[in-house]
Amino acid sequence: MLKNILITGCSSGLGLALTNYYLEKGFKVFGISRNKPDIKNENFIHKSFDLSNISKIKEELSAFILVIKEINTVFLNAGMLGEIKILSELSIQELNEVYALNVYANKELLDILMHTKVENIIVISSGASKNGYKGWGSYSLSKAGVNMLVNLYSNEMINTKIIALAPGVIKTPMTDYIRFELDENIFPSVKKLNEGVVQTPQETAQKIFELTQNLDNFQSGSYVDIREITI
């Protein structure tokens, strides 16, 4: 019997790389994203849904998720960066938009997942959840919220291993925007990102898969930075 994987934000970037990686490994993948990726594989089942529509998540996704009686690993990967600008220029509306997708959408999904059997849940966090880089206000606040969300749910989903995972810097349109379009004299994190290791989504997907084979090494509810561990 094939093991089941659930991935949000599966149409691009890390989510797409994880989807293809697990399909190649022979898993059955259930994907959620606004647009269906061009994947022709009978083991890929897709649901088109915009997770920013928070109030409709339980109504629209419960049946899709709960039909999966046993899930090996869930990747709550969907999220957004928001605009990089100094905190005093960020409106509450802008902060709420990022926080809602990055935190509250995952809260609604975790509520659904409490009603099925799930072995592991990995919620994608970021090093920005720990480091207050200038300009990253919306993203950093939301990813710090992700870390605490995971910690809180680990006390309620006691039969599931759940971690917040910072996957490192991945080459995506989001990071290209930061690295090549922003002024490093205004936002010093640009230089830091360009001087560090930037991995492809495919390289990151392989590292994450290897990490999932050793989840017993991590306490449920914890924050894990993949760059700080030896797999």
Side-chain angles (χ1 to χ4, degrees), residues 210-227:
E210 292 167 357
L211 177 141
T212 63
Q213 307 308 297
N214 298 282
L215 283 178
D216 288 344
N217 295 335
F218 307 103
Q219 182 177 350
S220 190
S222 61
Y223 164 83
V224 177
D225 191 323
I226 204 167
R227 293 164 293 190

Side-chain angles (χ1 to χ4, degrees), residues 18-188:
L18 285 166
T19 299
N20 284 320
Y21 192 90
Y22 275 91
L23 288 171
E24 289 167 6
K25 288 281 186 181
F27 290 76
K28 189 171 186 176
V29 178
F30 293 79
I32 299 170
S33 59
R34 282 179 297 178
N35 303 308
K36 184 177 181 180
D38 185 20
I39 295 175
K40 295 175 176 60
N41 188 310
E42 63 180 11
N43 291 324
F44 179 58
I45 297 98
H46 183 262
K47 173 74 173 179
S48 294
F49 184 77
D50 183 352
L51 286 165
S52 66
N53 193 355
I54 309 294
S55 64
K56 293 289 185 181
I57 288 177
K58 287 177 179 174
E59 177 184 336
E60 295 290 333
L61 297 180
S62 289
F64 178 75
I65 293 172
L66 295 179
V67 75
I68 319 168
K69 298 302 181 184
E70 295 186 16
I71 307 177
N72 177 258
T73 305
V74 173
F75 293 97
L76 298 183
N77 162 74
M80 66 182 295
L81 173 67
E83 189 173 352
I84 300 292
K85 58 184 182 181
I86 63 173
L87 199 58
S88 61
E89 294 179 354
L90 274 172
S91 68
I92 296 300
Q93 181 179 352
E94 289 172 301
L95 289 167
N96 280 340
E97 181 184 11
V98 177
Y99 205 92
L101 179 59
N102 292 356
V103 181
Y104 297 141
N106 286 327
K107 188 267 183 200
E108 294 293 273
L109 290 166
L110 289 167
D111 287 348
I112 298 171
L113 290 164
M114 292 181 78
H115 298 287
T116 192
K117 185 178 180 181
V118 184
E119 188 174 347
N120 308 303
I121 300 175
I122 294 177
V123 187
I124 298 301
S125 183
S126 169
S129 68
K130 299 287 187 177
N131 301 298
Y133 298 127
K134 181 180 178 181
W136 291 60
S138 297
Y139 193 68
S140 290
L141 284 168
S142 69
K143 290 302 184 179
V146 163
N147 295 352
M148 183 51 67
L149 186 77
V150 164
N151 188 279
L152 291 166
Y153 270 90
S154 70
N155 297 309
E156 300 184 22
M157 304 179 74
I158 58 175
N159 295 316
T160 298
K161 175 67 66 72
I162 175 170
I163 65 169
L165 176 67
V169 181
I170 306 168
K171 182 173 173 50
T172 64
M174 181 182 85
T175 54
D176 284 350
Y177 157 69
I178 297 168
R179 293 167 59 220
F180 304 127
E181 296 184 31
L182 298 179
D183 187 341
E184 68 178 37
N185 294 313
I186 300 174
F187 302 108

